[in-house]
Amino acid sequence: MTRKARQGNQIKRQQASRDSFERVLIVCEDSKSCPSYLRAIRDELKLTNIVIRPDKRPDAKDFKWDPKPTKVVKHALSLKKKDQKGYDRVYCVIDRDKHSSFKDALETAQKNNIAVIVSIPCFEYWLLLHFEYKDRLFQAAQGSNCGKVIEVLNKHLNKHLPGNYEKGKDFLGKHYFSVFKERQAIAIEHAKQRERDCQPPSEESAACEKQRRCQIDELEKMNPYTEMHWLIECLMEMKNKKTRTV
């Protein structure tokens, strides 16, 4: 076989491997913090088949965003139907906080085979778990419950970075992401500990096959709680499969 023929076969094998990777759509509730954080992880793992929305970067032409949980799920459904190649998995990342449409969103997603990654009260609880384990109730008499989480989170971040974290802050900056990246394993363990506290134990399953073991009404009572570690470990699992394939 000639050198040119060998190179051609190698390219075909690499293309076949790329085509066999799962295509995943992740739709986030907030327009900056969570999607920017997930893009940084996606880029770190070199997962090119992961699409993350919304995209509010200055050079992106995206839709007018509505952060209500039901709107997030409906938009994921719309993107799923419009995509010609087809997504193997679709995730919605939403906060409980004080959303009145939270339960409806979970029920709609369940009916349409969309996985929902829930954080209670919000995504920032997952960020807090990078620094410490917290199981206390985060609840505000007025305003967002998430503000209580951010107060504690900033006490840790102020030791590493200037200024305060604000809801909607962009994680495209390398300094911000590096602070969380080096503590990722700690956050995953803390999230698993909280999961064990909140839900009855079950048989271990693959990271991308994780399913909520409690009913939606029971989930309402879990504060604080997050499932972000399911999504992160799923992306890591996809990276491992990609490494073995190529």
Side-chain angles (χ1 to χ4, degrees), residues 28 30 32-39 93 123 169 171 228:
C28 303
D30 76 76
K32 286 188 178 179
S33 300
C34 185
S36 295
Y37 169 83
L38 289 173
R39 281 190 197 99
V93 182
F123 164 72
K169 196 176 186 71
F171 273 91
M228 280 297 298

Side-chain angles (χ1 to χ4, degrees), residues 48-80:
T48 57
N49 284 9
I50 310 293
V51 176
I52 299 170
R53 293 290 184 267
D55 194 337
K56 288 290 186 179
R57 290 172 295 178
D59 59 340
K61 294 181 180 179
D62 208 356
F63 45 86
K64 185 177 180 181
W65 190 234
D66 187 337
K68 296 184 183 70
T70 48
K71 296 290 186 180
V72 175
V73 173
K74 287 179 181 178
H75 192 73
L77 274 171
S78 176
L79 292 174
K80 181 181 178 182

Side-chain angles (χ1 to χ4, degrees), residues 32-231:
K32 286 188 178 179
S33 300
C34 185
S36 295
Y37 169 83
L38 289 173
R39 281 190 197 99
I41 293 206
R42 176 196 63 187
D43 296 347
E44 180 77 17
L45 297 176
K46 296 180 172 60
L47 293 172
T48 57
N49 284 9
I50 310 293
V51 176
I52 299 170
R53 293 290 184 267
D55 194 337
K56 288 290 186 179
R57 290 172 295 178
D59 59 340
K61 294 181 180 179
D62 208 356
F63 45 86
K64 185 177 180 181
W65 190 234
D66 187 337
K68 296 184 183 70
T70 48
K71 296 290 186 180
V72 175
V73 173
K74 287 179 181 178
H75 192 73
L77 274 171
S78 176
L79 292 174
K80 181 181 178 182
K81 291 176 181 177
K82 289 178 181 178
D83 186 77
Q84 295 180 350
K85 294 182 180 179
Y87 291 108
D88 298 288
R89 299 177 187 276
V90 179
Y91 291 92
C92 289
V93 182
I94 65 174
D95 296 347
R96 172 62 188 99
D97 210 353
K98 294 183 178 180
H99 291 302
S100 59
S101 63
F102 177 75
K103 185 176 179 180
D104 289 341
L106 265 61
E107 290 175 345
T108 301
Q110 191 174 44
K111 291 175 183 176
N112 290 278
N113 197 30
I114 292 177
V116 178
I117 300 297
V118 171
S119 291
I120 304 174
C122 57
F123 164 72
E124 282 73 15
Y125 176 64
W126 161 249
L127 300 183
L128 176 59
L129 291 180
H130 287 70
F131 300 97
E132 64 173 318
Y133 178 76
K134 281 284 188 184
D135 59 2
R136 80 177 201 193
L137 178 70
F138 289 100
Q139 191 166 17
Q142 295 181 341
S144 169
N145 291 335
C146 192
K148 293 292 184 181
V149 181
I150 294 174
E151 285 179 15
V152 182
L153 175 62
N154 273 326
K155 291 179 181 178
H156 293 285
L157 287 178
N158 287 341
K159 299 174 184 177
H160 305 277
L161 297 163
N164 285 330
Y165 172 91
E166 297 174 8
K167 186 70 172 174
K169 196 176 186 71
D170 204 322
F171 273 91
L172 293 178
K174 293 182 179 179
H175 295 299
Y176 250 100
F177 179 65
S178 65
V179 171
F180 294 103
K181 178 187 172 184
E182 64 188 24
R183 294 169 174 80
Q184 183 173 279
I186 296 172
I188 290 173
E189 183 51 44
H190 283 163
K192 288 181 177 180
Q193 181 181 344
R194 186 58 184 153
E195 183 184 359
R196 291 190 293 268
D197 291 345
C198 288
Q199 303 190 65
S202 67
E203 295 182 3
E204 282 296 317
S205 59
C208 293
E209 305 298 332
K210 290 284 187 182
Q211 292 186 3
R212 195 174 300 112
R213 301 188 299 278
C214 64
Q215 299 299 317
I216 293 176
D217 289 339
E218 295 173 330
L219 186 64
E220 292 270 12
K221 302 173 185 176
M222 297 181 188
N223 181 352
Y225 172 79
T226 186
E227 295 164 351
M228 280 297 298
H229 58 299
W230 295 359
L231 183 55

